[in-house]
Amino acid sequence: MTGLNCLVTGATGYIGGRLVPELLDAGHRVRCLARTPAKLRDHPWAGRAEVVAGDATDADSVAAALDGIDVAYYLVHALGGGSGFEDRDRDAARIFAERAAAAGVRRIVYLGGLTPAGIPVRELSPHLRSRSEVGEILLAGAVPATVLRAAVIIGSGSASFEMLRYLTERLPVMVTPSWVGTRCQPIAVRDVLRYLVGSATMPPEVDRAFDVGGPDVLTYEEMMRRYAVVAELPRRLILRVPMLTPRLSSHWIGLVTPVPRALARPLAESLRHEVVCSEHDIARYVPDPPGAPIGFDEALALALRRVREAKVDTRWSSASVPGAPSDPLPTDPDWAGGSLYEDEREREVGASPEALWRVVEGIGGENGWYSFPLAWSVRGWLDRLAGGVGIRRGRRDAAHLRVGDSLDFWRVEELEPGRLLRLRAEMRLPGLAWLEMYADPCEAASDGEPGPGRAGATGPVTGPVIADGGTPGAGAVRTRYRQRALFHPHGLLGHLYWWSVSPFHAVVFGGMARNIARAAERLDGAEGGGASKGGPVTEVPDGGRHPRS
């Protein structure tokens, strides 16, 4: 059979970002619908797929994206989406079903949640109820639909896996809610993708939902104990208490794991009721190969191996955080959007551009932020307490970034390899914030004259420039490092916030610039004046860190 034209919505998310290359490898042609196409620019498969801008709630952009499509994958939902998310999910599903019918789409494929048998829909958690309703809307449409219903998805980078991983690894003794005794049927992400790809070629008369799960039915307590065995951890002591509601559990999960409270709550709520597959009819249309479905222990081992090898393709944090700022950095120097505060620092670094860029691109996560670690940790904890994402989301890859990656409580907004990294804050703030880091080659400066790249050499620099010194001797290999923190305040509270934290900028941002420069110089010296290799980072004095091959 010749390849089909497939549309993938939610391609910037965890499942969508992995489905696209699977469809391409199966011989299909893929178009992705994304609100911010730039987020897909750096994916390894980006040159093989078409990307169009649009929003699932915008009927016109959905209609344009569906033009000429055979199979449409609907992978958008508002997990952690705040108030009113059920109405948004419902409206988006109706728009998609109607426009798919008008475009002559042959099939819609949707990945939803496995619902408990015998429990009235009204008693389900809001998120599980909404996902069930979306499936019903798509099945009621004129286009034949395949609705896959899964419980806990186990794979490197999935929210369910990381919640399980961090709870088990960080807490040798756990006081847990009663829902850890509820049975569920986890499924490996590889099997989810196999079912999604196989659904594209189902016969036209198939128009129904399918339960999909792995071969093991386990309680969450059993899952934690088996994780400890697979990860070679000591036996965990688990004590259940009845008073931990899903709301309290989400706070507890948010404190222990990188999964924020807004996402932890629907995950915890989904475990209140038993979710076990009632059938395995999907195998009639997507036959199971030998060794599939993958067992729970094998799924864990596969996920842990990819984490340890730094081969995590997508993470739960790949998708945008609902309610987080998404406005791009204004490029007009006379921006009409109001006040734009800046803290700008630059240094000439006695290292190659390659060495400096490796340090810049490796920032955050386990590598740290090169200044006053306590201040960064406190800011992260305050953000978690306010319901934000906190600083522990870490990185998808220890050495390399791409546009759209989450990076602690930032997101990569722009990336020019070797030159520019721009991060947009996703922490709770009374305004919008960005952090930019530049690495540019520069010439040795003459005595008493500024080198190229300094204020006055290449034109004026917007905002105050604070030179931190550290210029190497004439004739040395050098790179200009420039760092800008920008803040657009919202209302009086935003202005007060900037002026309250600005006294600490010399310590936080000044220290960052100094330590990044030192780390690059140490790296360059250790590697004989070149730093083309990638690798993890290790700590050096003064709070800075440098990469290690």
Side-chain angles (χ1 to χ4, degrees):
M1 180 178 181
T2 58
L4 301 170
N5 295 322
C6 300
L7 175 72
V8 176
T9 62
T12 58
Y14 175 70
I15 293 293
R18 298 192 180 201
L19 175 61
V20 172
E22 295 289 332
L23 289 170
L24 290 167
D25 291 344
H28 301 303
R29 294 169 294 278
V30 178
R31 177 185 298 160
C32 303
L33 176 68
R35 282 181 295 181
T36 310
K39 288 184 179 181
L40 301 177
R41 186 186 71 195
D42 298 328
H43 283 251
W45 46 259
R48 303 164 59 198
E50 178 187 2
V51 180
V52 297
D55 191 293
T57 59
D58 177 39
D60 291 339
S61 64
V62 170
L66 287 166
D67 183 40
I69 292 297
D70 299 309
V71 180
Y73 286 88
Y74 191 75
L75 302 176
V76 294
H77 57 88
L79 190 61
S83 61
F85 76 90
E86 288 183 89
D87 290 335
R88 293 194 297 274
D89 273 353
R90 187 181 302 116
D91 292 342
R94 286 174 178 161
I95 288 171
F96 199 81
E98 292 169 0
R99 295 302 181 269
V105 172
R106 300 182 195 175
R107 176 164 301 279
I108 294 173
V109 182
Y110 171 63
L111 178 61
L114 185 59
T115 53
I119 303 296
V121 174
R122 65 179 180 277
E123 294 183 16
L124 299 177
S125 70
H127 285 274
L128 199 54
R129 182 172 64 236
S130 179
R131 299 189 75 173
S132 176
E133 184 180 11
V134 167
E136 292 172 359
I137 291 171
L138 297 177
L139 287 169
V143 177
T146 299
V147 173
L148 304 179
R149 307 193 308 169
V152 175
I153 297 177
I154 301 298
S156 59
S158 77
S160 296
F161 170 74
E162 293 208 2
M163 187 171 90
L164 174 68
R165 172 190 171 201
Y166 281 92
L167 286 175
T168 311
E169 290 186 352
R170 292 182 173 177
L171 298 175
V173 179
M174 286 177 270
V175 177
T176 62
S178 58
W179 52 254
V180 299
T182 303
R183 297 196 312 158
C184 65
Q185 193 164 349
I187 182 172
V189 68
R190 295 191 183 194
D191 283 323
V192 172
L193 295 171
R194 181 170 59 83
Y195 291 138
L196 285 168
V197 173
S199 295
T201 54
M202 282 188 174
E205 65 271 14
V206 177
D207 187 20
R208 55 163 290 187
F210 296 91
D211 292 353
V212 294
D216 301 296
V217 176
L218 305 163
T219 66
Y220 204 84
E221 179 177 340
E222 290 172 331
M223 290 166 62
M224 289 190 286
R225 294 192 186 281
R226 288 173 71 161
Y227 179 93
V229 172
V230 173
E232 300 180 343
L233 301 172
R235 181 178 175 83
R236 270 32 194 165
L237 179 61
I238 299 174
L239 307 173
R240 297 189 207 171
V241 295
M243 70 283 297
L244 282 178
T245 64
R247 181 182 179 87
L248 290 175
S249 298
S250 66
H251 286 280
W252 167 61
I253 294 168
L255 289 173
V256 176
T257 80
V259 180
R261 188 175 69 213
L263 183 55
R265 183 169 182 180
L267 291 175
E269 286 177 334
S270 68
L271 295 168
R272 286 188 304 167
H273 303 294
E274 182 175 285
V275 280
V276 177
C277 296
S278 60
E279 42 83 10
H280 188 54
D281 296 348
I282 187 71
R284 293 166 53 190
Y285 306 100
V286 187
D288 293 324
I294 297 171
F296 179 71
D297 290 354
E298 184 182 356
L300 287 179
L302 289 168
L304 281 169
R305 187 174 70 193
R306 294 190 72 85
V307 168
R308 289 164 181 168
E309 293 177 352
K311 293 181 179 179
V312 180
D313 298 322
T314 60
R315 295 182 69 215
W316 59 269
S317 57
S318 300
S320 297
V321 177
S326 58
D327 298 15
L329 176 67
T331 55
D332 184 353
D334 298 319
W335 186 41
S339 301
L340 189 64
Y341 292 114
E342 299 184 36
D343 179 278
E344 183 161 353
R345 298 169 190 270
E346 66 175 59
R347 299 176 63 87
E348 286 183 7
V349 183
S352 67
E354 293 80 11
L356 178 57
W357 179 251
R358 271 187 57 193
V359 175
V360 168
E361 192 178 11
I363 201 166
E366 295 296 326
N367 302 337
W369 289 89
Y370 294 90
S371 70
F372 203 0
L374 179 61
W376 289 94
S377 296
V378 169
R379 186 63 184 87
W381 277 104
L382 291 175
D383 193 56
R384 299 284 280 196
L385 292 174
V389 296
I391 201 170
R392 291 192 313 224
R393 285 191 301 183
R395 300 170 52 106
R396 177 190 56 82
D397 184 287
H400 304 290
L401 294 172
R402 62 192 184 201
V403 171
D405 272 0
S406 62
L407 180 57
D408 293 330
F409 46 40
W410 305 89
R411 189 170 298 276
V412 180
E413 179 175 281
E414 185 55 78
L415 182 70
E416 296 179 20
R419 179 179 177 270
L420 165 66
L421 173 62
R422 179 186 299 144
L423 307 175
R424 185 184 69 246
E426 291 191 336
M427 66 196 82
R428 297 296 177 93
L429 288 170
L432 305 175
W434 298 267
L435 178 62
E436 290 184 330
M437 287 164 275
Y438 292 85
D440 291 317
C442 61
E443 303 285 340
S446 301
D447 291 340
E449 296 180 5
R454 290 179 178 267
T458 58
V461 178
T462 305
V465 176
I466 303 174
D468 290 316
T471 303
V477 176
R478 63 177 62 186
T479 305
R480 179 174 63 117
Y481 173 69
R482 187 158 64 95
Q483 175 182 294
R484 289 203 308 165
L486 303 105
F487 182 69
H488 168 48
H490 287 170
L492 178 60
L493 185 60
H495 291 276
L496 293 175
Y497 172 82
W498 173 264
W499 290 112
S500 68
V501 299
S502 57
F504 302 99
H505 286 176
V507 175
V508 175
F509 294 128
M512 180 186 296
R514 285 192 303 273
N515 288 323
I516 285 176
R518 290 172 183 169
E521 290 165 357
R522 289 173 183 267
L523 173 62
D524 205 52
E527 297 190 346
S532 60
K533 298 179 181 179
V537 295
T538 186
E539 196 166 329
V540 296
D542 300 320
R545 299 167 186 254
H546 68 82
R548 179 182 63 209
S549 298

